[in-house]
Amino acid sequence: MLWDTHMHTHFSGDSDADSREMVLSAKEKGLAGICFTDHLDIDYPDDPTEFLIDFPAYFQELLQVQKDFSSEFPVGIGLELGLQPHLSKDLPSIIAEHPFDFVIGSSHVVHGIDPYYPQYYAGKTEDEAYREYFESILENLALFDCFDVYGHIDYVVRYGPNRNTYYTYEKFADVIDAILRTLIHKGKGIEINTGGFKYGLGHPNPTEAILKRYRELGGEIITIGADAHKPEHVAFDFEKVPDILKNAGFSYYTVFKNRKPEFYKL
């Protein structure tokens, strides 16, 4: 009876999913609840409008879905917020203006390029590209507080030339530890994102070693999400999640409601 608190609908530029179908999929899979977290990535390269949200339409639809299912299934309304340093004055006010339950802060664009695209890796070794990604998270953490957890901290390894074949936490422990310590100091959490299994990595994002290290350093806030963009991917490989989190030292997972964390026993 877990919550899936990272999912996308047709309000995201990379999804056509119907919000009600996402809810029905979650119910069929026996989840305890969900939270929608559609993309807002202002100044996305190549097409700056691809990941913008029509907030009046977003809340109109999702509040109705929330109302329709309220007696039988809890539905939260959140956002996955694409962080870039030059947006540090704009994004906090956008978050403050809307009644989100939950905000994921994510790094999708690094110095003007999304690591999803091969050009991000041009002229760099794979390790250099990965390190630049992690260092960009630290740049964002120095400027932003308007989120609750940081999403898929090692997102970059989904798309590298060799993906996660040669990637380990230990190789980047210095910068990853700095990220985790900063998040803990700020009172922010991380997520276990099972999208890594969907992408064939054999591990969640971030990896089990990073989840364990976050807990060792004193981190307590851990949300669960499949990063689904289609109904069939809701709660993807969630059967693996309890043991992964328990092995990392967690007894509870976290759900945000009205931007406040609530803790549920695993």
Side-chain angles (χ1 to χ4, degrees), residues 58-232:
Y58 187 58
F59 277 94
Q60 181 180 16
E61 179 173 318
L62 296 189
L63 285 170
Q64 187 61 53
V65 170
Q66 192 179 63
K67 180 180 177 182
D68 291 346
F69 287 94
S70 61
S71 64
E72 51 183 315
F73 192 79
V75 174
I77 302 174
L79 189 72
E80 184 176 13
L81 185 66
L83 304 178
Q84 297 186 65
H86 72 281
L87 301 174
S88 62
K89 288 184 169 45
D90 302 314
L91 299 185
S93 60
I94 292 173
I95 298 305
E97 289 167 2
H98 298 94
F100 295 111
D101 286 299
F102 178 45
V103 178
I104 301 171
S106 290
S107 292
H108 296 126
V109 178
V110 179
H111 306 140
I113 307 175
D114 188 335
Y116 175 84
Y117 294 103
Q119 59 261 39
Y120 173 76
Y121 305 91
K124 309 168 190 169
T125 67
E126 188 173 70
D127 284 358
E128 287 171 343
Y130 288 2
R131 181 165 290 275
E132 181 182 3
Y133 180 83
F134 291 127
E135 289 176 347
S136 79
I137 294 178
L138 283 177
E139 293 170 12
N140 286 330
L141 288 177
L143 296 169
F144 291 101
D145 286 295
C146 58
F147 64 93
D148 303 309
V149 306
Y150 219 97
H152 44 50
I153 286 174
D154 54 9
Y155 162 89
V156 67
V157 306
R158 292 180 180 178
Y159 308 111
N162 298 290
R163 304 211 293 168
N164 64 340
T165 301
Y166 305 110
Y167 158 72
T168 63
Y169 152 72
E170 289 78 11
K171 189 180 287 188
F172 303 97
D174 57 333
V175 64
I176 292 174
D177 279 5
I179 291 168
L180 299 178
R181 291 181 193 277
T182 303
L183 287 167
I184 293 166
H185 177 73
K186 285 174 168 279
K188 308 297 184 183
I190 64 172
E191 68 168 352
I192 175 172
N193 185 311
T194 62
F197 293 116
K198 182 182 69 179
Y199 284 91
L201 300 179
H203 301 276
N205 295 118
T207 61
E208 296 88 343
I210 295 174
L211 298 171
K212 182 177 181 181
R213 184 59 175 155
Y214 171 73
R215 186 71 194 97
E216 287 173 348
L217 291 171
E220 298 179 331
I221 298 171
I222 183 86
T223 60
I224 303 169
D227 210 345
H229 291 65
K230 300 177 181 180
E232 56 264 36

Side-chain angles (χ1 to χ4, degrees), residues 3-23:
W3 281 65
D4 188 339
T5 59
H6 187 154
M7 65 175 61
H8 302 277
T9 73
H10 63 95
F11 287 101
S12 290
D14 54 359
S15 174
D16 297 317
D18 179 83
S19 57
R20 293 177 184 275
E21 291 181 4
M22 299 294 272
V23 176

